[in-house]
Amino acid sequence: MTGTTDRRVTANLALTLDGRYHGPGGPSDFDLFVPYVTSEVARDHLTRIHQGATTALLGRVNAEGFMGFWPTVAEDAGADPRDRGYAKWLVDTEKVVLSTTLTEAPWERTRVVNAPAADVVAGLRAEGGGDILVNSSASVIKPLLAADLVDRLYLLVLPEIAGGGGRLFEDGLPSTRWAVSRQETGELGEMAVIYDRVR
């Protein structure tokens, strides 16, 4: 296809053993995730996810949460250096937010797009270089998995069964094969795994 680049689409998400990205209490139910996402292994994993990424692709809810939190971490000299490194990357990088309700971006270096995730990725792949990182936005990751457009998955798998909540891998996804390129287990039993799409 003329005008396209070899930009990879990467996605990061923490999941329970039963594949949930939040608990049964709804989208803000993250209590069982907290001990794991602040572990040494999780923080090292956070450092890896943005290496090579030049664009952050986010859903509106995640964008609002992230931009309300991470800029303060970027300025906090006492923050863990790995958290601060990710925060600075997020603040400084190009951000594309998918939204049907926002009309203008309330953050610097951000554009709002009201279009299907697959179409937005096609446009991003036709410009610039570096990875396109979808960080913790299941509403964006799901349609990209359905269209087989994700090249790398950064998963933090927690040794917990939530018993309810949003599920990332739903019935109807295309059959795909993935290779483990890195795996690390933390003291709490959490596993940071990088899967690359075998094409």
Short mmCIF file of all heavy atoms in Angstrom, two decimals, residues 11-38:
data_model
loop_
_atom_site.label_atom_id
_atom_site.label_comp_id
_atom_site.label_asym_id
_atom_site.label_seq_id
_atom_site.Cartn_x
_atom_site.Cartn_y
_atom_site.Cartn_z
N ALA A 11 0.08 -2.76 22.38
CA ALA A 11 -0.99 -2.51 23.34
C ALA A 11 -0.59 -3.05 24.70
O ALA A 11 0.05 -4.10 24.80
CB ALA A 11 -2.28 -3.18 22.88
N ASN A 12 -0.94 -2.32 25.75
CA ASN A 12 -0.59 -2.68 27.11
C ASN A 12 -1.86 -2.78 27.95
O ASN A 12 -2.73 -1.91 27.88
CB ASN A 12 0.33 -1.60 27.71
CG ASN A 12 0.57 -1.83 29.18
OD1 ASN A 12 1.14 -2.84 29.58
ND2 ASN A 12 0.14 -0.90 30.00
N LEU A 13 -1.94 -3.86 28.77
CA LEU A 13 -3.09 -4.00 29.65
C LEU A 13 -2.76 -4.97 30.78
O LEU A 13 -2.00 -5.92 30.57
CB LEU A 13 -4.31 -4.51 28.86
CG LEU A 13 -5.69 -4.22 29.44
CD1 LEU A 13 -5.95 -2.72 29.59
CD2 LEU A 13 -6.78 -4.84 28.56
N ALA A 14 -3.31 -4.71 31.95
CA ALA A 14 -3.22 -5.65 33.07
C ALA A 14 -4.49 -6.48 33.08
O ALA A 14 -5.59 -5.94 32.94
CB ALA A 14 -3.06 -4.90 34.39
N LEU A 15 -4.32 -7.80 33.23
CA LEU A 15 -5.46 -8.72 33.21
C LEU A 15 -5.40 -9.70 34.37
O LEU A 15 -4.31 -10.14 34.76
CB LEU A 15 -5.44 -9.56 31.91
CG LEU A 15 -5.61 -8.84 30.58
CD1 LEU A 15 -5.45 -9.84 29.44
CD2 LEU A 15 -6.97 -8.16 30.51
N THR A 16 -6.57 -10.07 34.88
CA THR A 16 -6.64 -11.13 35.87
C THR A 16 -6.56 -12.48 35.15
O THR A 16 -6.62 -12.55 33.92
CB THR A 16 -7.97 -11.04 36.65
OG1 THR A 16 -9.04 -11.15 35.71
CG2 THR A 16 -8.07 -9.73 37.41
N LEU A 17 -6.47 -13.56 35.93
CA LEU A 17 -6.42 -14.89 35.33
C LEU A 17 -7.65 -15.21 34.49
O LEU A 17 -7.56 -15.97 33.51
CB LEU A 17 -6.27 -15.96 36.41
CG LEU A 17 -4.89 -16.09 37.06
CD1 LEU A 17 -4.93 -17.18 38.14
CD2 LEU A 17 -3.82 -16.41 36.03
N ASP A 18 -8.79 -14.63 34.85
CA ASP A 18 -9.99 -14.86 34.05
C ASP A 18 -10.18 -13.78 32.98
O ASP A 18 -11.28 -13.61 32.44
CB ASP A 18 -11.24 -15.02 34.93
CG ASP A 18 -11.48 -13.89 35.92
OD1 ASP A 18 -10.54 -13.13 36.20
OD2 ASP A 18 -12.60 -13.78 36.45
N GLY A 19 -9.10 -13.07 32.66
CA GLY A 19 -9.10 -12.17 31.52
C GLY A 19 -9.80 -10.85 31.71
O GLY A 19 -10.14 -10.17 30.74
N ARG A 20 -9.98 -10.42 32.96
CA ARG A 20 -10.69 -9.15 33.22
C ARG A 20 -9.70 -7.99 33.35
O ARG A 20 -8.63 -8.14 33.94
CB ARG A 20 -11.47 -9.25 34.53
CG ARG A 20 -12.28 -10.52 34.71
CD ARG A 20 -13.47 -10.59 33.80
NE ARG A 20 -14.24 -11.80 34.04
CZ ARG A 20 -15.47 -12.00 33.60
NH1 ARG A 20 -16.08 -11.05 32.92
NH2 ARG A 20 -16.11 -13.12 33.85
N TYR A 21 -10.08 -6.84 32.82
CA TYR A 21 -9.24 -5.66 32.95
C TYR A 21 -9.79 -4.68 33.99
O TYR A 21 -9.21 -3.62 34.22
CB TYR A 21 -9.00 -4.97 31.60
CG TYR A 21 -10.25 -4.62 30.84
CD1 TYR A 21 -10.90 -3.41 31.05
CD2 TYR A 21 -10.78 -5.49 29.89
CE1 TYR A 21 -12.04 -3.08 30.34
CE2 TYR A 21 -11.93 -5.17 29.18
CZ TYR A 21 -12.55 -3.98 29.41
OH TYR A 21 -13.69 -3.65 28.71
N HIS A 22 -10.89 -5.02 34.63
CA HIS A 22 -11.36 -4.34 35.84
C HIS A 22 -12.23 -5.33 36.60
O HIS A 22 -12.59 -6.39 36.07
CB HIS A 22 -12.09 -3.02 35.55
CG HIS A 22 -13.36 -3.15 34.76
ND1 HIS A 22 -14.51 -3.72 35.28
CD2 HIS A 22 -13.67 -2.79 33.50
CE1 HIS A 22 -15.47 -3.69 34.37
NE2 HIS A 22 -14.99 -3.13 33.27
N GLY A 23 -12.55 -5.01 37.83
CA GLY A 23 -13.31 -5.92 38.67
C GLY A 23 -14.81 -5.87 38.42
O GLY A 23 -15.28 -5.08 37.59
N PRO A 24 -15.57 -6.68 39.15
CA PRO A 24 -17.02 -6.77 38.94
C PRO A 24 -17.78 -5.51 39.32
O PRO A 24 -18.94 -5.34 38.94
CB PRO A 24 -17.46 -7.95 39.81
CG PRO A 24 -16.36 -8.12 40.82
CD PRO A 24 -15.11 -7.65 40.16
N GLY A 25 -17.14 -4.59 40.05
CA GLY A 25 -17.80 -3.36 40.47
C GLY A 25 -17.90 -2.30 39.38
O GLY A 25 -18.44 -1.22 39.61
N GLY A 26 -17.38 -2.59 38.17
CA GLY A 26 -17.48 -1.64 37.07
C GLY A 26 -16.13 -1.12 36.64
O GLY A 26 -15.09 -1.49 37.18
N PRO A 27 -16.11 -0.21 35.65
CA PRO A 27 -14.87 0.27 35.05
C PRO A 27 -13.88 0.93 36.02
O PRO A 27 -12.70 1.02 35.72
CB PRO A 27 -15.34 1.28 34.00
CG PRO A 27 -16.72 0.83 33.66
CD PRO A 27 -17.29 0.28 34.93
N SER A 28 -14.35 1.39 37.18
CA SER A 28 -13.43 2.01 38.14
C SER A 28 -13.02 1.05 39.26
O SER A 28 -12.37 1.47 40.22
CB SER A 28 -14.05 3.27 38.73
OG SER A 28 -15.25 2.94 39.41
N ASP A 29 -13.37 -0.23 39.14
CA ASP A 29 -13.05 -1.23 40.16
C ASP A 29 -11.67 -1.83 39.89
O ASP A 29 -11.54 -2.82 39.15
CB ASP A 29 -14.14 -2.32 40.18
CG ASP A 29 -13.89 -3.36 41.26
OD1 ASP A 29 -12.91 -3.23 42.02
OD2 ASP A 29 -14.69 -4.32 41.34
N PHE A 30 -10.63 -1.22 40.49
CA PHE A 30 -9.25 -1.67 40.28
C PHE A 30 -8.57 -2.09 41.58
O PHE A 30 -7.35 -2.24 41.62
CB PHE A 30 -8.43 -0.55 39.63
CG PHE A 30 -8.83 -0.26 38.20
CD1 PHE A 30 -9.44 0.93 37.87
CD2 PHE A 30 -8.60 -1.20 37.20
CE1 PHE A 30 -9.83 1.19 36.57
CE2 PHE A 30 -8.98 -0.94 35.89
CZ PHE A 30 -9.59 0.26 35.57
N ASP A 31 -9.35 -2.28 42.65
CA ASP A 31 -8.75 -2.58 43.96
C ASP A 31 -7.81 -3.77 43.92
O ASP A 31 -6.71 -3.73 44.47
CB ASP A 31 -9.83 -2.81 45.02
CG ASP A 31 -10.55 -1.51 45.40
OD1 ASP A 31 -10.07 -0.44 45.00
OD2 ASP A 31 -11.59 -1.58 46.07
N LEU A 32 -8.21 -4.84 43.26
CA LEU A 32 -7.35 -6.03 43.28
C LEU A 32 -6.13 -5.87 42.38
O LEU A 32 -5.16 -6.61 42.50
CB LEU A 32 -8.15 -7.30 42.93
CG LEU A 32 -8.73 -7.49 41.54
CD1 LEU A 32 -7.71 -8.08 40.58
CD2 LEU A 32 -9.92 -8.42 41.64
N PHE A 33 -6.12 -4.85 41.50
CA PHE A 33 -5.00 -4.62 40.60
C PHE A 33 -3.86 -3.86 41.28
O PHE A 33 -2.70 -4.02 40.92
CB PHE A 33 -5.46 -3.81 39.37
CG PHE A 33 -6.32 -4.58 38.42
CD1 PHE A 33 -7.64 -4.89 38.73
CD2 PHE A 33 -5.83 -4.98 37.19
CE1 PHE A 33 -8.44 -5.60 37.86
CE2 PHE A 33 -6.62 -5.70 36.30
CZ PHE A 33 -7.93 -6.00 36.64
N VAL A 34 -4.21 -3.00 42.25
CA VAL A 34 -3.25 -2.04 42.80
C VAL A 34 -1.95 -2.66 43.32
O VAL A 34 -0.86 -2.18 42.96
CB VAL A 34 -3.93 -1.16 43.89
CG1 VAL A 34 -2.91 -0.27 44.59
CG2 VAL A 34 -5.02 -0.30 43.27
N PRO A 35 -1.97 -3.72 44.12
CA PRO A 35 -0.69 -4.25 44.62
C PRO A 35 0.24 -4.73 43.51
O PRO A 35 1.45 -4.68 43.65
CB PRO A 35 -1.11 -5.43 45.50
CG PRO A 35 -2.56 -5.25 45.78
CD PRO A 35 -3.12 -4.49 44.64
N TYR A 36 -0.34 -5.16 42.41
CA TYR A 36 0.45 -5.75 41.33
C TYR A 36 1.00 -4.70 40.37
O TYR A 36 2.14 -4.83 39.91
CB TYR A 36 -0.39 -6.77 40.56
CG TYR A 36 -0.93 -7.86 41.44
CD1 TYR A 36 -2.28 -7.86 41.83
CD2 TYR A 36 -0.12 -8.88 41.91
CE1 TYR A 36 -2.79 -8.85 42.65
CE2 TYR A 36 -0.63 -9.89 42.73
CZ TYR A 36 -1.96 -9.86 43.10
OH TYR A 36 -2.45 -10.84 43.91
N VAL A 37 0.21 -3.69 40.05
CA VAL A 37 0.65 -2.72 39.05
C VAL A 37 1.69 -1.75 39.59
O VAL A 37 2.27 -0.97 38.83
CB VAL A 37 -0.54 -1.95 38.44
CG1 VAL A 37 -1.48 -2.91 37.72
CG2 VAL A 37 -1.28 -1.13 39.47
N THR A 38 1.95 -1.80 40.90
CA THR A 38 2.99 -0.95 41.48
C THR A 38 4.21 -1.78 41.91
O THR A 38 5.08 -1.28 42.60
CB THR A 38 2.44 -0.18 42.70
OG1 THR A 38 1.89 -1.12 43.63
CG2 THR A 38 1.37 0.81 42.28
#
